[in-house]
Amino acid sequence: MSSGRSHRIGFVQDGTLLQKVAFSHGEQTAIVIGKASNCEVCITNSFVSKEHAQLIHNNNNELFILDLNSTNGTFLNEKKIQPGVPYPIKSGDRVDFTSSGNVKLVFDPDNYQSSKAPWRDPNIGNSGDIFGTTDIIEKIRLKGKIIIGRGTDCDIILPGQQSISRRHASIEKKGDQYFLTDLDSTNGTFLNGRRISGSQRVTEADTIFVGRYQLQLKGRARNLSSQVSIRAENVTKRFKNGVVGLHNSTFEIPAKSLTAVMGPSGCGKSTLLKALNGDSPPSSGRVFISGLDLSENYDYLKTLIGYVPQDDIVHKELTVEQSLYYAAKLRLDHASSEFIDQKIEQVLKDLNIVHIRKNLVRDISGGQRKRVSIAVEILTDPLILFLDEPTSPLDPQTIEEFLGILRKLAENGTTVLMVTHKPEDLSYMDSVIFMAEGGYLVYQGESSGYLSYFRVADVVKVYSELAQPKAKVWIDRRFAKDTNGGKPNTEFKKQIPVNFFSQYFWLTIRYFNIKFNDRGNTAMMLGQAPIIAILICMIFDQVSQAVPFLMAVSAIWFGTNNAAREIVGELPIFKRERMFNQGIFPYILSKITVLGAFAAAQAILFVLIIYVRYQDTNPSWNDPLVTFFWMLSISLAATLMGLLLSSLVKTTEKVMTIVPIVLIPQIMLAGIVAKISLPLVEVISYVTLSRWGTEGFSDIQQEVSVPKMELDTASVEMNQQGQITDAKFIQDGDTTAQAIDELVKNFHSSYPDRFGTWHGTLALDYLIIGILSLLFFIGIYISLKQKDSMKLK
């Protein structure tokens, strides 16, 4: 290799030369320009990003400039370049790193003066292969182990994407086999469409995915963002009730384009969207994303798909910044705080919502909430962004700005597919898909050609053509060209790479913040305990049987009421996060942890008030610590019951209708309101929390106050044989009795026979409550699992 120089360049700020760089003939390398201290060219300027751009020199002595998704952009000959795309540069070109032109690259560095601008040789020992152009096996043969990433010290350099870590993965040879290892990358390394954990064997036939690049042990890396974005082959969708929501459809959508899906209400627009993004896979046919089969590579492709359904996918009780932060923590498992902060700053600026970053989501407009939902999705740099009627809540002025933002996303490499019913949106679209009533795709092409196709003057008349009976003409015209049926769709293959503890931690922290930000409802929730406890103290002078009963019912109410709205109220958010990478177990446990903490606070307040009130009565309240743990146990079981109810319904209105149906039997079957006299009712009572809750409190208390009844001798009536035929008893004060004995009298006589020496013991009560809690937990898991639109292996 020649030791001569092919290019000598410099970096200038405000007319002062900062650094000079020389590239060797035939030497392939790359340098990063930015204000971070680890950049090869460090420029301290507020308009320059930490990693702003990359300069690439290949073995043909050509120079390329690549913008690294910088905040303020890189300019070539006064035109802003597209991030992630290498642009060739040569002597005479003007390259600026700020819009004002005060920071630039120059080809005549000797014409600038600087006392601290030595020549720098950017060559890196064995410099890496840009875009992985060298046979990987050959490099491993020479080095034994290679590193893949976007850092300039890597052996295979994949620049231009923040989704690729600086040192992303490694491949090494052990004996006759090759092993791929993920190096704790932010977005993961995938082998044959599935995310790997640790090291995994790889062969020449396997496909490796790093960011948007596809690699094999032999051959060039393929940048997926340059491929046809979406291809549908004979896609159909038939629902469980037999209704066909989408008829046979075949089409392609080019990369980096804006495409609208339009048609009359109920024509299958959202069904098509969900079939393409995996939310509700097609019944038959195949969907390809950048040439990869969606069903075969879902675990990988889901990281490249953004999806904003009609409902908002952000919590209204969080601030905009908090929503983005927790979404990043949950989706970008290994990302550093610095990376996340930088990413949040970038998407806030891209979507023009920096000014509302500290606002609660509930306090911003519908259009701003839609942007925040989109911001959550573009945190992961999606290749494709699916939007379901994003402009429906927007006014005309906001629509124009919003669609301009989508255009910018498309220019930066993201393909946007959006369902819309607003004709004015079409003026911003590259192409359009029209659906006819009945789930038929009847037109797909450039947005400028649909009027001539339908032979009408405006888009409004197109809608009338797509309603029956006129729609049949267009259906027949389209489907005459495509009569091939689709093959049955296989189940989606998915290996959930859930970092259980990380997800559990951040879900819990987020949920606590939701509760603390919703101060009014949280205060009311905590305030229930002292209010009800004080009412009990005011009504009952002594610890009668009613007090343990009301404590059990109160604990059940606290847990059920606290939890009944918690899943159904955020169902769109759960389904979207589940579609990306959400594990069900960490989700349920985060709910139990937070609601359990509030249940503990309620139990402390309740038991403290009861103990203070009845500590000097006869009988006094017994063992407050054990009472607290038992009340907490009942509340947690009721919390699980409330979460189960919340997971079974689709709206908060429905769950609040069901809650009384569940709670009223708790009152009736506890053995206090009425004696349980039938064996069947006795068995039914075994599945109620109140039955065992009341028994547990009675066992802890041991003694309760009962009326002392005396015979009124004056009221005694006797017959001729001297037998008493009538008499009255009067209350002569109160006395104490064994609480369990008094309670068991109200149960059916079969109870002691069924449970023997266990009956009436706290150990039995804990056992039954534990079993019921486990059943509730299993029910929640099954219910949430059934909400998966994707039937995953």
Side-chain angles (χ1 to χ4, degrees):
M1 181 179 292
S2 171
S3 60
R5 307 297 189 183
S6 69
H7 292 281
R8 300 163 74 247
I9 62 170
F11 295 88
V12 175
Q13 180 174 223
D14 296 324
T16 301
L17 184 63
L18 301 176
Q19 189 169 315
K20 295 182 285 186
V21 177
F23 294 96
S24 298
H25 274 288
E27 184 74 24
Q28 179 178 260
T29 190
I31 61 174
V32 176
I33 303 131
K35 64 182 177 183
S37 59
N38 60 344
C39 291
E40 283 75 23
V41 177
C42 187
I43 301 175
T44 305
N45 186 287
S46 59
F47 291 97
V48 174
S49 299
K50 291 182 178 179
E51 291 185 359
H52 192 102
Q54 193 166 35
L55 193 62
I56 301 168
H57 180 265
N58 68 13
N59 51 18
N60 292 324
N61 300 320
E62 297 169 317
L63 275 180
F64 297 85
I65 189 70
L66 183 78
D67 184 82
L68 297 179
N69 223 1
S70 64
T71 302
N72 296 296
T74 303
F75 301 83
L76 175 58
N77 297 324
E78 301 183 351
K79 290 184 178 180
K80 191 174 183 180
I81 65 174
Q82 181 178 322
V85 177
Y87 288 77
I89 59 174
K90 59 186 183 301
S91 179
D93 286 333
R94 176 168 179 169
V95 179
D96 295 301
F97 302 103
T98 63
S99 57
S100 62
N102 65 323
V103 180
K104 59 185 179 180
L105 179 153
V106 297
F107 287 90
D108 53 346
D110 294 330
N111 293 334
Y112 294 83
Q113 304 238 343
S114 173
S115 58
K116 297 181 180 180
W119 285 106
R120 172 164 181 167
D121 187 345
N123 296 337
I124 306 166
N126 274 323
S127 71
D129 293 306
I130 311 301
F131 308 121
T133 55
T134 296
D135 191 314
I136 292 177
I137 289 181
E138 180 63 20
K139 290 194 73 70
I140 296 175
R141 188 183 67 80
L142 295 173
K143 298 190 65 174
K145 178 180 180 179
I146 64 156
I147 304 297
I148 303 170
R150 62 185 174 91
T152 55
D153 58 339
C154 294
D155 301 288
I156 304 294
I157 303 172
L158 303 176
Q161 295 179 25
Q162 288 186 324
S163 59
I164 300 173
S165 300
R166 293 190 66 84
R167 294 170 63 87
H168 196 104
S170 68
I171 304 177
E172 63 180 319
K173 187 176 182 181
K174 297 180 180 179
D176 295 331
Q177 297 179 337
Y178 298 91
F179 288 87
L180 173 68
T181 304
D182 181 76
L183 301 178
D184 284 333
S185 62
T186 299
N187 291 290
T189 303
F190 296 80
L191 182 63
N192 298 325
R194 296 191 178 190
R195 188 167 183 171
I196 67 170
S197 178
S199 297
Q200 196 161 329
R201 182 173 174 266
V202 60
T203 68
E204 292 182 26
D206 292 325
T207 302
I208 302 165
F209 298 98
V210 175
R212 296 183 183 179
Y213 289 95
Q214 175 183 324
L215 304 93
Q216 290 185 304
L217 292 182
K218 288 189 174 182
R220 290 176 175 268
R222 184 167 73 101
N223 190 337
L224 297 178
S225 61
S226 63
Q227 308 295 313
V228 172
S229 191
I230 303 172
R231 187 170 85 252
E233 291 184 356
N234 303 312
V235 169
T236 65
K237 180 66 179 181
R238 184 183 295 272
F239 297 107
K240 291 181 180 179
N241 59 7
V243 174
V244 178
L246 181 64
H247 289 270
N248 198 332
S249 301
T250 298
F251 59 90
E252 288 185 353
I253 295 175
K256 304 176 184 179
S257 63
L258 272 176
T259 301
V261 182
M262 304 185 74
S265 297
C267 67
K269 299 186 295 293
S270 295
T271 301
L272 175 64
L273 205 70
K274 293 178 180 180
L276 297 177
N277 65 29
D279 187 18
S280 181
S283 305
S284 63
R286 303 173 73 187
V287 176
F288 295 88
I289 303 294
S290 295
L292 302 175
D293 190 305
L294 182 61
S295 65
E296 293 294 324
N297 299 277
Y298 183 74
D299 205 39
Y300 165 64
L301 290 176
K302 71 178 183 180
T303 65
L304 303 182
I305 292 175
Y307 174 39
V308 180
Q310 292 185 33
D311 298 314
D312 292 325
I313 55 171
V314 286
H315 292 91
K316 294 182 179 180
E317 299 82 8
L318 295 176
T319 66
V320 171
E321 193 169 37
Q322 285 175 331
S323 297
L324 297 178
Y325 180 78
Y326 292 125
K329 282 294 185 181
L330 289 168
R331 298 189 184 195
L332 304 175
D333 188 24
H334 297 290
S336 65
S337 295
E338 182 182 10
F339 176 85
I340 288 175
D341 291 342
Q342 182 180 357
K343 195 65 182 173
I344 290 174
E345 192 70 31
Q346 175 192 325
V347 299
L348 289 173
K349 289 180 179 178
D350 288 345
L351 296 174
N352 295 335
I353 50 175
V354 176
H355 59 291
I356 59 169
R357 67 190 305 162
K358 299 296 183 182
N359 293 35
L360 291 175
V361 173
R362 69 186 178 200
D363 295 334
I364 62 180
S365 68
Q368 289 172 329
R369 282 200 300 273
K370 190 63 67 177
R371 291 194 204 184
V372 176
S373 294
I374 293 175
V376 166
E377 293 302 310
I378 65 175
L379 281 170
T380 54
D381 294 320
L383 197 63
I384 303 172
L385 181 61
F386 294 91
L387 306 174
D388 200 344
E389 298 199 23
T391 59
S392 58
L394 309 183
D395 59 74
Q397 180 180 351
T398 308
I399 287 176
E400 183 178 4
E401 182 185 3
F402 178 78
L403 292 176
I405 290 171
L406 295 186
R407 167 55 61 192
K408 182 179 178 182
L409 287 175
E411 291 173 353
N412 288 340
T414 300
T415 303
V416 180
L417 183 67
M418 59 177 274
V419 171
T420 180
H421 63 273
K422 294 192 174 183
E424 57 268 29
D425 293 352
L426 271 178
S427 59
Y428 287 83
M429 299 293 119
D430 299 308
S431 60
V432 61
I433 291 173
F434 276 103
M435 306 284 294
E437 283 186 0
Y440 295 91
L441 190 154
V442 295
Y443 176 83
Q444 190 263 330
E446 294 184 0
S447 57
S448 58
Y450 70 92
L451 293 178
S452 60
Y453 181 85
F454 289 106
R455 303 170 195 152
V456 293
D458 57 64
V459 68
V460 176
K461 291 185 174 60
V462 174
Y463 276 74
S464 65
E465 293 291 321
L466 300 181
Q468 296 293 355
K470 290 184 179 180
K472 189 176 185 306
V473 175
W474 306 108
I475 294 170
D476 292 342
R477 180 177 176 180
R478 171 85 180 189
F479 279 77
K481 301 176 183 178
D482 185 7
T483 58
N484 294 324
K487 295 181 180 179
N489 188 40
T490 57
E491 290 184 325
F492 273 33
K493 295 180 179 178
K494 185 180 182 187
Q495 172 188 349
I496 302 176
V498 174
N499 184 329
F500 176 88
F501 293 104
S502 176
Q503 283 200 357
Y504 167 70
F505 177 80
W506 289 111
L507 284 168
T508 302
I509 296 298
R510 181 176 73 177
Y511 195 22
F512 268 120
N513 269 283
I514 289 170
K515 289 299 183 185
F516 289 141
N517 286 354
D518 193 11
R519 294 185 180 90
N521 284 332
T522 300
M524 291 174 60
M525 179 174 67
L526 292 174
Q528 293 177 88
I531 291 172
I532 296 175
I534 290 171
L535 285 173
I536 292 173
C537 294
M538 293 172 62
I539 295 171
F540 300 97
D541 293 329
Q542 303 290 333
V543 181
S544 66
Q545 269 191 311
V547 175
F549 165 67
L550 290 174
M551 290 183 70
V553 171
S554 297
I556 296 167
W557 166 255
F558 296 153
T560 306
N561 185 61
N562 293 351
R565 290 177 291 264
E566 296 307 292
I567 292 178
V568 67
E570 61 177 26
L571 194 54
I573 301 172
F574 168 78
K575 290 188 71 174
R576 176 59 192 125
E577 292 182 343
R578 172 70 178 153
M579 186 178 167
F580 191 88
N581 69 343
Q582 180 63 71
I584 294 179
F585 281 120
Y587 178 77
I588 298 175
L589 290 176
S590 71
K591 294 291 183 190
I592 296 172
T593 301
V594 176
L595 294 174
F598 285 105
Q602 290 173 314
I604 289 173
L605 293 171
F606 199 104
V607 172
L608 182 63
I609 292 171
I610 293 294
Y611 176 70
V612 170
R613 169 65 179 84
Y614 295 115
Q615 64 178 332
D616 297 324
T617 60
N618 184 28
S620 61
W621 190 263
N622 191 32
D623 208 334
L625 184 60
V626 177
T627 302
F628 160 75
F629 282 113
W630 181 240
M631 189 167 200
L632 178 59
S633 298
I634 300 299
S635 290
L636 288 175
T639 296
L640 286 164
M641 183 171 68
L643 290 174
L644 176 59
L645 296 178
S646 190
S647 69
L648 292 172
V649 298
K650 295 182 178 180
T651 65
T652 54
E653 291 78 10
K654 287 183 179 179
V655 76
M656 296 316 295
T657 301
I658 296 175
V659 166
I661 299 174
V662 173
L663 291 182
I664 290 175
Q666 304 285 337
I667 299 173
M668 299 167 61
L669 298 174
I672 298 296
V673 174
K675 178 179 174 63
I676 298 176
S677 55
L678 297 175
L680 178 60
V681 177
E682 171 73 14
V683 173
I684 294 174
S685 73
Y686 294 160
V687 297
T688 62
L689 298 175
S690 60
R691 156 72 184 248
W692 308 104
T694 302
E695 183 176 284
F697 281 121
S698 298
D699 188 75
I700 294 168
Q701 178 55 22
Q702 296 182 1
E703 292 184 337
V704 291
S705 175
V706 296
K708 181 180 180 183
M709 307 303 294
E710 296 286 348
L711 179 66
D712 182 4
T713 56
S715 67
V716 175
E717 296 182 6
M718 304 179 67
N719 58 19
Q720 294 179 353
Q721 287 76 30
Q723 297 172 333
I724 297 176
T725 59
D726 191 19
K728 294 182 180 179
F729 288 86
I730 58 176
Q731 183 175 346
D732 184 19
D734 298 307
T735 187
T736 59
Q738 290 297 309
I740 283 294
D741 293 341
E742 292 295 312
L743 181 63
V744 170
K745 290 177 184 177
N746 294 324
F747 296 151
H748 191 266
S749 58
S750 62
Y751 172 50
D753 297 334
R754 284 196 177 99
F755 293 95
T757 57
W758 280 69
H759 89 278
T761 63
L762 191 59
L764 176 63
D765 301 327
Y766 265 115
L767 176 63
I768 300 297
I769 290 297
I771 292 173
L772 291 175
S773 298
L774 179 61
L775 292 175
F776 292 150
F777 188 96
I778 293 172
I780 297 167
Y781 180 86
I782 293 173
S783 178
L784 290 178
K785 184 69 175 174
Q786 289 178 338
K787 293 185 186 299
D788 286 343
S789 297
M790 303 162 290
K791 301 306 178 185
L792 305 170
K793 291 182 178 178

Short mmCIF file of all heavy atoms in Angstrom, two decimals, residues 138 155 180 308 350 490 554 631 657 681:
data_model
loop_
_atom_site.label_atom_id
_atom_site.label_comp_id
_atom_site.label_asym_id
_atom_site.label_seq_id
_atom_site.Cartn_x
_atom_site.Cartn_y
_atom_site.Cartn_z
N GLU A 138 -12.69 -14.16 5.98
CA GLU A 138 -11.29 -13.85 5.71
C GLU A 138 -10.71 -12.98 6.81
O GLU A 138 -9.57 -13.18 7.25
CB GLU A 138 -11.18 -13.16 4.35
CG GLU A 138 -9.76 -12.80 3.95
CD GLU A 138 -8.85 -14.02 3.78
OE1 GLU A 138 -9.37 -15.13 3.59
OE2 GLU A 138 -7.62 -13.84 3.85
N ASP A 155 -13.93 -3.54 13.09
CA ASP A 155 -13.45 -4.22 11.89
C ASP A 155 -14.47 -4.12 10.77
O ASP A 155 -14.12 -4.06 9.59
CB ASP A 155 -13.17 -5.69 12.21
CG ASP A 155 -12.14 -5.84 13.31
OD1 ASP A 155 -10.95 -5.57 13.06
OD2 ASP A 155 -12.53 -6.20 14.44
N LEU A 180 -21.34 -15.77 17.13
CA LEU A 180 -21.78 -14.37 17.13
C LEU A 180 -22.14 -13.99 18.56
O LEU A 180 -22.87 -14.71 19.24
CB LEU A 180 -22.99 -14.21 16.21
CG LEU A 180 -23.69 -12.84 16.21
CD1 LEU A 180 -22.80 -11.77 15.59
CD2 LEU A 180 -25.02 -12.94 15.46
N VAL A 308 -48.72 3.84 15.47
CA VAL A 308 -49.55 4.68 16.32
C VAL A 308 -51.01 4.40 15.96
O VAL A 308 -51.49 4.84 14.92
CB VAL A 308 -49.24 6.18 16.13
CG1 VAL A 308 -50.12 7.03 17.04
CG2 VAL A 308 -47.76 6.45 16.43
N ASP A 350 -37.60 17.40 16.25
CA ASP A 350 -38.11 16.95 14.97
C ASP A 350 -39.62 17.14 14.85
O ASP A 350 -40.15 17.42 13.77
CB ASP A 350 -37.77 15.47 14.75
CG ASP A 350 -36.29 15.25 14.46
OD1 ASP A 350 -35.60 16.25 14.16
OD2 ASP A 350 -35.83 14.10 14.54
N THR A 490 -48.59 -18.70 8.16
CA THR A 490 -48.07 -19.42 9.31
C THR A 490 -48.09 -18.52 10.53
O THR A 490 -48.16 -17.31 10.42
CB THR A 490 -46.61 -19.85 9.05
OG1 THR A 490 -45.83 -18.69 8.75
CG2 THR A 490 -46.55 -20.80 7.87
N SER A 554 -63.81 -3.87 53.87
CA SER A 554 -63.07 -2.65 53.51
C SER A 554 -61.80 -3.00 52.74
O SER A 554 -61.46 -2.38 51.73
CB SER A 554 -62.72 -1.85 54.77
OG SER A 554 -63.88 -1.42 55.43
N MET A 631 -54.69 -7.75 56.83
CA MET A 631 -55.45 -6.79 56.02
C MET A 631 -54.74 -6.54 54.69
O MET A 631 -55.38 -6.45 53.64
CB MET A 631 -55.64 -5.48 56.76
CG MET A 631 -56.59 -4.52 56.05
SD MET A 631 -57.11 -3.15 57.09
CE MET A 631 -58.61 -2.64 56.22
N THR A 657 -69.34 -1.54 35.97
CA THR A 657 -70.63 -2.21 36.06
C THR A 657 -70.48 -3.58 36.72
O THR A 657 -71.37 -4.03 37.46
CB THR A 657 -71.24 -2.39 34.65
OG1 THR A 657 -71.39 -1.11 34.05
CG2 THR A 657 -72.60 -3.06 34.72
N VAL A 681 -74.53 -23.16 49.09
CA VAL A 681 -74.12 -21.79 49.41
C VAL A 681 -72.81 -21.82 50.20
O VAL A 681 -71.94 -20.97 50.01
CB VAL A 681 -75.22 -21.07 50.21
CG1 VAL A 681 -74.77 -19.66 50.61
CG2 VAL A 681 -76.51 -20.99 49.39
#
